[in-house]
Amino acid sequence: MKILIAGGAGYVGSALVPKLLDRGYEVTVLDLLWFGKQLPASVPVLEQDILSIREEELRGVDQVIFVAGLSNDPMADYSPAKNFVSNAACPAYLAYVAKRAGVRRFIYASSCSVYGYTENELYDEDAPAVSAYPYGISKLQGESAVLQMRGPEFSVIALRKGTVGGYSPRMRLDLVVNTMFKTAIVDGVIRVNNPSIWRPILAMQDAVAAYTRAVECSDGISGIFNVASGNYTLGEIADFVRDGVREFLGIDPKLQINHLSDIRNYKVSIERAQRTLSFKPRSTVVDIVKDLVDHRAAFADFDNPAYYNITTFKGLDDAMVAV
Ligand SMILES: NC(=O)c1ccc[n+]([C@@H]2O[C@H](COP(=O)([O-])OP(=O)(O)OC[C@H]3O[C@@H](n4cnc5c(N)ncnc54)[C@H](O)[C@@H]3O)[C@@H](O)[C@H]2O)c1
């Protein structure tokens, strides 16, 4: 089976590609390589913009996975216009050409960010998705656009992921668990912006499993699925990261608890993904810390701008202006 992964050189994509190769799939990556290329040498890479892809290039592809776009709030806030193009127009266009080319499944990287600020309720996929910030709005736009193309010959699956944590060959240190791990080691401090805020956390290994389940589910399945390893408060995540670095590294970081306001607060039910995709998360926050500890030599250059999306993105923007 042939799978094209748009954004396959990113944080999620770089961990997903080897897993799909291991299962015998033929994988091609379509990516602008903003953060470099940490992919197996055997993987063909189309280094081009999603918006430049043509229908002919997708003929013979069985499934398309979209893990591209601007992938966090700071990038979206820095360039709201590029955010709406990348997160709404790009997936819509790619699904459109994919369907015309005869691709039979499109898997879209959505986000639990679409739920915005909620109060003490467990949200399933039928709960209102209302956010007031560009990233959340655009992820919902992309999701709605691709889902409306679903049909008997074109399955569309949107995975609303929690915040991912853990190691990937293309590393990110700007995601909550990874950031806490880094500051625990480098500064001896774990900073908590607001201990009461809820976040669904998704271990990288569970994220990869969710995409694998989506690739391999029956042809007739389409829809939206929340995917997370667990729901935690930020205060609880900090406790687990501290437990992990104590146990595995003998480091005893201080906790710095702040009470800043946040635009995002949500916890989600993953019951639909369990029931329909047979998605069964296996990892906890402590498992994510163990994964980071096991791979820490691979990202020991903690200040590498490639590990911080907004830093790299601003650099790319400056370079384009200079040209
Ligand atoms: N990382 C998370 O915690 C998380 C959580 C929920 C949802 N998501 C979503 O999952 C997806 C992947 O996240 P990630 O952390 O791997 O992102 P990432 O920023 O690491 O990777 C994105 C990749 O897409 C590529 N790209 C961006 N725009 C492109 C374009 N127009 N044409 C070709 N390539 C392009 C970039 O070069 C990069 O390699 C994103 O859509 C994000 O919104 C991520």
Side-chain angles (χ1 to χ4, degrees), residues 11-12 31 34 50 68 71 135 139 161 164 170 172 309:
Y11 175 59
V12 173
D31 198 297
W34 287 344
I50 289 168
S71 48
Y135 180 69
K139 292 305 288 184
K161 298 198 294 285
V164 184
R170 164 328 204 219
R172 285 185 65 177
N309 276 21

Side-chain angles (χ1 to χ4, degrees), residues 7 9-13 30-35 48-50 66-71 90 109-111 135 139 161-164 170 172 175 309:
Y11 175 59
V12 173
L30 164 64
D31 198 297
L32 286 168
L33 305 183
W34 287 344
F35 309 102
Q48 61 188 83
D49 196 305
I50 289 168
F66 179 97
V67 278
L70 305 196
S71 48
C90 279
S110 190
S111 167
Y135 180 69
K139 292 305 288 184
K161 298 198 294 285
T163 304
V164 184
R170 164 328 204 219
R172 285 185 65 177
L175 297 159
N309 276 21

Side-chain angles (χ1 to χ4, degrees), residues 9-38:
Y11 175 59
V12 173
S14 299
L16 177 60
V17 167
K19 175 67 179 235
L20 294 179
L21 292 175
D22 180 53
R23 293 174 86 78
Y25 298 117
E26 211 176 305
V27 175
T28 299
V29 164
L30 164 64
D31 198 297
L32 286 168
L33 305 183
W34 287 344
F35 309 102
K37 180 165 89 86
Q38 289 84 27

Side-chain angles (χ1 to χ4, degrees), residues 13-291:
S14 299
L16 177 60
V17 167
K19 175 67 179 235
L20 294 179
L21 292 175
D22 180 53
R23 293 174 86 78
Y25 298 117
E26 211 176 305
V27 175
T28 299
V29 164
L30 164 64
D31 198 297
L32 286 168
L33 305 183
W34 287 344
F35 309 102
K37 180 165 89 86
Q38 289 84 27
L39 292 168
S42 62
V43 175
V45 177
L46 307 173
E47 189 180 348
Q48 61 188 83
D49 196 305
I50 289 168
L51 294 177
S52 74
I53 205 86
R54 286 169 292 117
E55 191 182 316
E56 306 84 85
E57 292 170 278
L58 295 179
R59 293 234 172 85
V61 172
D62 298 289
Q63 300 201 15
V64 170
I65 301 176
F66 179 97
V67 278
L70 305 196
S71 48
N72 66 6
D73 287 307
M75 295 167 96
D77 294 341
Y78 176 73
S79 182
K82 280 189 186 148
N83 168 69
F84 283 102
V85 172
S86 301
N87 289 354
C90 279
Y93 173 72
L94 189 60
Y96 170 73
V97 284
K99 187 173 181 180
R100 286 178 62 96
V103 171
R104 56 177 190 79
R105 170 163 287 153
F106 190 92
I107 302 171
Y108 171 70
S110 190
S111 167
C112 291
S113 294
V114 300
Y115 294 120
Y117 196 94
T118 72
E119 286 281 10
N120 202 28
E121 277 184 73
L122 192 65
Y123 268 43
D124 66 18
E125 297 83 351
D126 297 324
V130 182
S131 58
Y133 41 88
Y135 180 69
I137 298 167
S138 67
K139 292 305 288 184
L140 189 63
Q141 281 192 313
E143 185 188 278
S144 312
V146 300
L147 274 162
Q148 63 145 4
M149 291 179 232
R150 74 179 134 181
E153 305 296 322
F154 192 59
S155 150
V156 178
I157 293 180
L159 298 177
R160 285 185 179 168
K161 298 198 294 285
T163 304
V164 184
Y167 173 71
S168 164
R170 164 328 204 219
M171 197 50 189
R172 285 185 65 177
L173 291 176
D174 56 359
L175 297 159
V176 63
V177 179
N178 296 5
T179 301
M180 287 185 180
F181 176 79
K182 177 216 150 182
T183 63
I185 292 181
V186 175
D187 307 330
V189 178
I190 297 175
R191 298 181 187 88
V192 181
N193 288 342
N194 185 328
S196 65
I197 292 292
W198 284 91
R199 280 283 186 285
I201 296 297
L202 181 61
M204 182 57 89
Q205 284 160 9
D206 288 335
V208 167
Y211 281 95
T212 308
R213 297 285 85 79
V215 165
E216 295 178 354
C217 71
S218 321
D219 289 348
I221 293 175
S222 286
I224 302 170
F225 300 92
N226 292 334
V227 285
S229 303
N231 293 299
Y232 299 86
T233 65
L234 295 184
E236 203 181 8
I237 295 170
D239 285 340
F240 283 124
V241 173
R242 181 151 77 164
D243 290 349
V245 296
R246 269 185 186 148
E247 181 181 347
F248 305 125
L249 295 173
I251 293 173
D252 192 15
K254 290 190 171 26
L255 291 186
Q256 188 188 100
I257 306 288
N258 301 307
H259 294 276
L260 308 175
S261 63
D262 201 314
I263 52 172
R264 295 198 276 137
N265 185 33
Y266 38 77
K267 46 189 164 179
V268 300
S269 162
I270 60 164
E271 202 269 330
R272 185 186 288 177
Q274 287 177 309
R275 183 169 27 90
T276 311
L277 303 179
S278 196
F279 167 68
K280 295 185 185 68
R282 296 180 186 192
S283 301
T284 63
V285 169
V286 174
D287 294 325
I288 296 175
V289 174
K290 179 74 169 66
D291 181 40

